[in-house]
Amino acid sequence: MAQSRREFLKRTAALSAASYIGMNLPYRKQNAALAADADSWHRGSCRLCGTGCRVELGVKNGKAVALRGVKDARTNFGYLCMKGMHFWKCMGHPDRLRTPLYRESKKDKFREISWEKALDIAAEKFADSVKKYGNDSVAYYGSGQALTEETYLFQKVFRGGLQTNNVEGNPRLCMASAVGGYLTSFGADEPIGGYADIEKAHCFFIIGSNTAEAHPVLFRRIMRRKLDNKDVKIINADPRISQTSRIADLHLQFDPGTDLALLNAMANVIIEEKLYDEKFLESYVTCKKGKKETVSFEEFKKFVADYTPEKAAAICRGNMTPDKIRQTARWFAGSKGTLSLWTMGINQRKRGVWANNLIHNLHILTGQLLTPGADSLSLTGQPNACGGVREGGGLCHILPGHRLVAKEKLRNQVEDAWGIPHGRIPPKPGYHTMALFSAVNEGKIKALWVNCTSPMQSLPNVDLYSKGMRREDVFMICSDIFPTLTTEAANLVLPAAFHFEKTGVYGCTERRSQLTLKAVNAPDGAMPEVWIVREWAKKLAEKMDDPVISKCVEPFEGLEPDFALPKAIWDEYSQKLTSGRDNDLRGATYTVLQKMPDGVQWPAPTEAYALTGGTVKKFVRGMDPLADTHAKDDKPYQFYGHAHDDGKLWLWLREQADPEEIPDKDYPFYLSTGRIVDHWHTMSMTGRIPELLRANPYAFVEVNPRDAAKLGIKPGDMVEVESRRGKNFLPAKVYEGPTEGMVFVYWHDQHPDRLINMVTKDGYDPGSKEPEFKICACRVKRISGPKPLKPYIV
């Protein structure tokens, strides 16, 4: 039953109050005083999640003193979450890495060395590895937090210089299934619409996303839309009751991994009750059973007919009923504009691509696409997973500009842009993330560069893969701003400049590229990655006597690293490698980006067009310049994605599929993991901010009250959570959150007793290669009563 406006107001008020935990009055007064004291303000993007909030850094006497939102930015309208308000405190933090650290053996202690010596060692180790063991004995593992210019230059040197496609990044762990879903359903990666649809949507279908805590600024926009329009419906589908669930008109709770049945059952209702858009389907849609197997719509109808609401409710369990499924389908199909939102609960799955396809299916069936308020919008977890990695070529199988490594024509285009011989980029994709760290374990990778991420904490089944990174015959470089669990396993640690201490572009969830200019100096000794890579490549070319490596950085020789160097890299990437591609960014020059309060949405082929803000809706003639350019007929929608050869959207037949590991008599509980509003990723940044650490100093395990009663667990008791891979010891939060038979743990904590990725499973989606962090089997038992715990930051 839909909640009343009064109930909704009470719930949103509670959520708003909760968002200020840790932000007590003295700190708010202190921050206001610091802001008033700033003598200049510098515009840029937030350093944390993928929302792309625009911020201004307050500076006094060359030091960061405050941060505020940009009121005229269409991403956040001046609002920030707690993490966004405080990340500037990382800049002057005493734990910052300030000088290169080196040890020959991982048994030795680090010693400080000069940058000259550090770069010489890095070049020598990588050159020796290639000479002795071949090009694929080296690898780069990057981040969706690195600037586009950084990811682009790293992959250029590795591919064009070292001749390996062993270029990977942590977005494989979070967004690869979303990529696979967009490519196979729409023919092109990244969303059709964007955040502008929030203010126009009449129904929100939020599945596998705790938007309130993972994307709180976007969640505020959703709440505002609901408050301003009483007829707007919010549906939340999640095995756990979260802060997001509390504003929902309808919450669907189910056993983890059973939601493919739910999505197929929704399609069943839409077809049975004739809620689908027959004209849209006839004009724009092909039904697919496999990439090369096309079927009729009648066959699709027959397939989903098996997923009756009654059957799906029995599979899903939880609070699911046939009537709830029918109501959800009717609201979804019948609204003036339905916006679906999801993130890791859908992506981090053994069948994450299929789950994405089935969400897209609902939009394709109903025509809930391409119009105001209607979109199928995957939310991104990192600030540049889209712009730097998905668009910039930061994964083993893709090149810049959404090009596939496997296609010779596309490799040749990149080689021509770089001025290097054809054949220099290998035709075979490199190792995906889980294969990469398996290769490290096996000693196949001899030299590994990890940039701006901490796989010693963030990989699933992390104990297994930590062994390889600790091997004496694996030389590992880490470039980062703080010590982490991964820097502790490295041979060479390189201190990097932080956000606002360097210049570059982030590309957020909605295809929006945004520029952040350097505003303050990095701590003495820390350097921007673009400078680090350029200087390393020059030494590498000398040691390998390979002029092509020099050619990779030749256009950037002699440029100062604060502005001229990143600008030149961006110019090469945007002008040479996005031209003629779906993510055309030629108009989004540094000059244009400096003028735009919230950046530019691609495609934006000219500066004049980019200055309008870019493309709000892809594929719509009159709104997307490429839809006009690629028009094959007079239809209003033109699907020009390179992944589909028929110019159509694809409606997929996808079965319900079990997770790789489900509970049994020995491990009878589901385990799932996620985020909390106060922290981000591995806590290496937020754990060093007192206000955020005070709010949530350590992880805990959420236990359903009915399960707690059976196990004799009371709030605060110490609980062992054990899987076939490892165990954690955590305080219990007895909470009507996870569905019965499921426990939930926040994944940020670094302490060995509370590092939950020791417990998670490393099975992965066969298409996207994204691991199934969200679901594994575990057992739970009470160890003792409450114990005093302390936060743990490396």
Side-chain angles (χ1 to χ4, degrees):
M1 181 181 293
Q3 60 187 311
S4 70
R5 181 173 176 81
R6 183 176 181 180
E7 289 171 333
F8 183 81
L9 286 167
K10 286 171 66 177
R11 291 180 180 185
T12 54
L15 286 171
S16 297
S19 71
Y20 282 93
I21 292 171
M23 285 286 292
N24 58 31
L25 187 60
Y27 278 106
R28 296 205 298 275
K29 287 183 176 179
Q30 180 190 44
N31 289 342
L34 289 170
D37 206 30
D39 53 35
S40 62
W41 291 91
H42 304 262
R43 184 165 295 189
S45 296
C46 183
R47 173 59 177 76
L48 300 171
C49 81
T51 299
C53 292
R54 290 295 274 174
V55 300
E56 289 181 327
L57 181 72
V59 176
K60 183 176 178 62
N61 298 326
K63 303 292 184 182
V65 296
L67 196 142
R68 67 188 183 192
V70 176
K71 290 184 179 180
D72 57 348
R74 285 170 285 186
T75 48
N76 58 311
F77 300 106
Y79 291 97
L80 299 174
C81 71
M82 290 185 298
K83 299 184 292 292
M85 286 182 215
H86 287 286
F87 81 80
W88 64 271
K89 294 177 183 178
C90 293
M91 295 179 193
H93 199 281
D95 288 354
R96 285 289 299 273
L97 295 167
R98 296 167 186 269
T99 189
L101 304 172
Y102 176 66
R103 59 184 179 184
E104 181 68 29
S105 168
K106 292 175 182 175
K107 298 174 183 176
D108 297 336
K109 292 183 178 180
F110 283 109
R111 59 186 174 88
E112 295 183 358
I113 59 174
S114 67
W115 268 107
E116 181 71 18
K117 181 65 173 174
L119 292 168
D120 195 65
I121 291 170
E124 181 179 346
K125 294 292 186 180
F126 273 75
D128 285 351
S129 183
V130 170
K131 290 173 185 176
K132 292 177 183 177
Y133 304 106
N135 301 81
D136 286 337
S137 68
V138 299
Y140 168 73
Y141 187 69
S143 170
Q145 301 159 55
L147 296 165
T148 298
E149 294 85 346
E150 295 162 356
T151 297
Y152 174 80
L153 189 57
F154 264 115
Q155 64 86 35
K156 182 182 182 184
V157 173
F158 271 79
R159 288 192 162 106
L162 289 169
Q163 298 181 81
T164 181
N165 286 312
N166 287 340
V167 172
E168 262 293 290
N170 62 16
R172 177 74 68 184
L173 307 180
C174 58
M175 295 309 302
S177 292
V179 175
Y182 279 127
L183 287 171
T184 51
S185 289
F186 298 160
D189 188 19
E190 304 198 45
I192 291 174
Y195 306 152
D197 289 309
I198 294 173
E199 282 72 36
K200 298 171 184 176
H202 292 263
C203 177
F204 293 92
F205 182 57
I206 304 172
I207 180 168
S209 168
N210 181 10
T211 321
E213 298 196 74
H215 297 87
V217 172
L218 291 182
F219 186 70
R220 186 191 183 281
R221 291 176 65 169
I222 295 168
M223 287 198 301
R224 173 52 56 190
R225 174 65 176 163
K226 175 72 171 175
L227 285 166
D228 291 345
N229 299 268
K230 62 182 176 62
D231 294 330
V232 166
K233 302 299 183 189
I234 298 177
I235 306 158
N236 182 220
D238 200 299
R240 173 175 172 259
I241 298 171
S242 69
Q243 298 293 351
T244 303
S245 315
R246 299 184 189 285
I247 70 162
D249 294 282
L250 183 59
H251 179 250
L252 306 176
Q253 196 167 23
F254 48 86
D255 283 354
T258 61
D259 45 359
L260 278 71
L262 164 66
L263 296 166
N264 275 331
M266 289 172 63
N268 172 304
V269 174
I270 288 165
I271 290 171
E272 284 295 311
E273 299 188 7
K274 300 190 184 308
L275 302 173
Y276 57 93
D277 188 330
E278 189 170 357
K279 185 176 180 181
F280 186 85
L281 292 170
E282 289 175 354
S283 299
Y284 300 113
V285 178
T286 299
C287 296
K288 287 284 186 176
K289 194 173 182 180
K291 187 174 182 180
K292 297 182 179 179
E293 186 176 358
T294 300
V295 299
S296 68
F297 184 56
E298 289 303 314
E299 289 178 84
F300 177 83
K301 289 165 69 174
K302 183 179 179 181
F303 169 77
V304 297
D306 186 49
Y307 287 91
T308 64
E310 288 74 17
K311 178 179 178 177
I315 292 171
C316 293
R317 304 199 313 166
N319 76 353
M320 198 72 70
T321 66
D323 285 347
K324 286 182 179 180
I325 295 173
R326 289 189 176 93
Q327 183 64 77
T328 299
R330 291 164 186 159
W331 281 353
F332 187 106
S335 89
K336 296 176 184 177
T338 295
L339 179 60
S340 291
L341 302 163
W342 71 94
T343 183
M344 303 313 146
I346 290 292
N347 296 336
Q348 290 177 333
R349 301 271 294 281
K350 179 69 180 288
R351 282 298 180 186
V353 174
W354 287 15
N356 275 263
N357 289 148
L358 293 185
I359 297 170
H360 299 322
N361 274 6
L362 299 175
H363 286 269
I364 294 169
L365 271 174
T366 57
Q368 291 279 9
L369 282 170
L370 306 147
T371 57
D375 196 31
S376 196
L377 180 61
S378 166
L379 299 177
T380 311
Q382 297 185 90
N384 205 28
C386 294
V389 177
R390 289 158 74 168
E391 298 162 24
L395 295 175
C396 68
H397 66 293
I398 55 173
L399 298 167
H402 289 157
R403 292 174 171 87
L404 292 175
V405 164
K407 295 194 174 183
E408 183 179 14
K409 177 183 176 182
L410 301 183
R411 293 197 306 276
N412 291 164
Q413 289 174 0
V414 176
E415 289 160 341
D416 290 342
W418 291 346
I420 62 176
H422 284 192
R424 186 75 183 190
I425 300 173
K428 183 181 177 182
Y431 293 117
H432 62 81
T433 292
M434 301 316 299
L436 171 62
F437 286 98
S438 293
V440 173
N441 271 5
E442 295 162 11
K444 295 177 181 177
I445 300 295
K446 299 295 185 182
L448 172 66
W449 192 319
V450 176
N451 179 53
C452 194
T453 187
S454 185
M456 290 283 287
Q457 183 176 352
S458 60
L459 291 175
N461 193 8
V462 71
D463 263 3
L464 173 62
Y465 299 99
S466 296
K467 293 173 183 176
M469 287 180 272
R470 293 192 182 104
R471 286 179 63 133
E472 282 294 323
D473 61 345
V474 175
F475 177 79
M476 187 163 72
I477 300 174
C478 286
S479 41
D480 215 321
I481 64 167
F482 284 126
T484 67
L485 292 173
T486 306
T487 64
E488 287 191 329
N491 298 89
L492 180 62
V493 178
L494 302 178
F498 186 53
H499 207 51
F500 279 107
E501 297 170 356
K502 55 189 178 182
T503 293
V505 175
Y506 274 166
C508 71
T509 293
E510 57 168 356
R511 298 175 283 104
R512 186 181 296 278
S513 294
Q514 303 167 319
L515 178 66
T516 299
L517 296 174
K518 178 180 176 180
V520 295
N521 289 327
D524 289 344
M527 297 298 294
E529 285 96 320
V530 288
W531 178 88
I532 296 171
V533 180
R534 181 186 67 185
E535 299 305 306
W536 167 69
K538 288 158 58 177
K539 289 180 175 290
L540 188 65
E542 293 175 7
K543 294 184 183 297
M544 296 189 68
D545 191 24
D546 188 343
V548 178
I549 298 177
S550 296
K551 187 79 173 176
C552 289
V553 294
E554 187 179 274
F556 316 124
E557 180 61 34
L559 299 177
E560 54 83 18
D562 292 343
F563 183 83
L565 176 55
K567 179 182 181 299
I569 296 169
W570 177 259
D571 286 347
E572 178 179 288
Y573 162 64
S574 62
Q575 303 306 309
K576 292 185 177 182
L577 286 161
T578 73
S579 175
R581 305 300 295 172
D582 64 337
N583 68 318
D584 196 328
L585 282 160
R586 286 174 295 164
T589 62
Y590 265 32
T591 300
V592 168
L593 291 174
Q594 287 180 80
K595 294 177 181 178
M596 303 300 291
D598 48 10
V600 173
Q601 289 180 278
W602 58 257
T606 67
E607 288 196 11
Y609 184 74
L611 284 167
T612 69
T615 299
V616 176
K617 287 276 188 184
K618 290 195 302 182
F619 307 139
V620 181
R621 294 184 71 175
M623 296 182 73
D624 176 354
L626 298 192
D628 296 322
T629 301
H630 292 281
K632 297 177 180 178
D633 50 43
D634 60 357
K635 294 177 182 177
Y637 307 137
Q638 300 289 328
F639 300 105
Y640 52 78
H642 62 267
H644 290 181
D645 55 10
D646 61 358
K648 298 282 187 77
L649 304 177
W650 288 359
L651 193 64
W652 284 94
L653 284 66
R654 300 296 202 197
E655 292 276 8
Q656 165 62 33
D658 284 338
E660 181 155 309
E661 186 176 74
I662 58 176
D664 55 26
K665 63 181 180 62
D666 295 320
Y667 297 89
F669 283 85
Y670 287 104
L671 168 68
S672 193
T673 66
R675 294 185 179 185
I676 197 165
V677 70
D678 311 285
H679 289 300
W680 198 72
H681 280 209
T682 60
M683 255 172 72
S684 60
M685 291 183 289
T686 57
R688 289 179 164 89
I689 296 171
E691 297 89 336
L692 302 178
L693 190 62
R694 184 181 300 110
N696 267 293
Y698 44 78
F700 46 82
V701 55
E702 292 182 2
V703 185
N704 184 285
R706 290 175 292 282
D707 291 323
K710 294 174 188 174
L711 297 169
I713 296 171
K714 295 180 180 178
D717 283 354
M718 293 303 298
V719 170
E720 179 185 270
V721 178
E722 182 181 16
S723 73
R724 292 177 174 86
R725 292 154 296 281
K727 63 179 68 174
N728 272 198
F729 302 94
L730 301 135
K733 181 178 181 180
V734 179
Y735 172 62
E736 196 74 52
T739 191
E740 194 170 355
M742 168 189 170
V743 294
F744 181 90
V745 178
Y746 295 106
W747 79 276
H748 313 288
D749 205 318
Q750 298 180 359
H751 193 284
D753 283 349
R754 303 187 294 269
L755 205 166
I756 196 59
N757 277 332
M758 296 166 62
V759 184
T760 54
K761 184 159 178 56
D762 50 350
Y764 55 82
D765 186 297
S768 69
K769 312 299 191 268
E770 180 167 347
E772 192 165 42
F773 287 94
K774 288 301 177 192
I775 308 172
C776 72
C778 71
R779 55 192 177 204
V780 179
K781 68 178 179 180
R782 180 184 183 274
I783 299 299
S784 71
K787 287 186 176 181
L789 298 174
K790 293 182 179 179
Y792 179 85
I793 304 295
V794 172

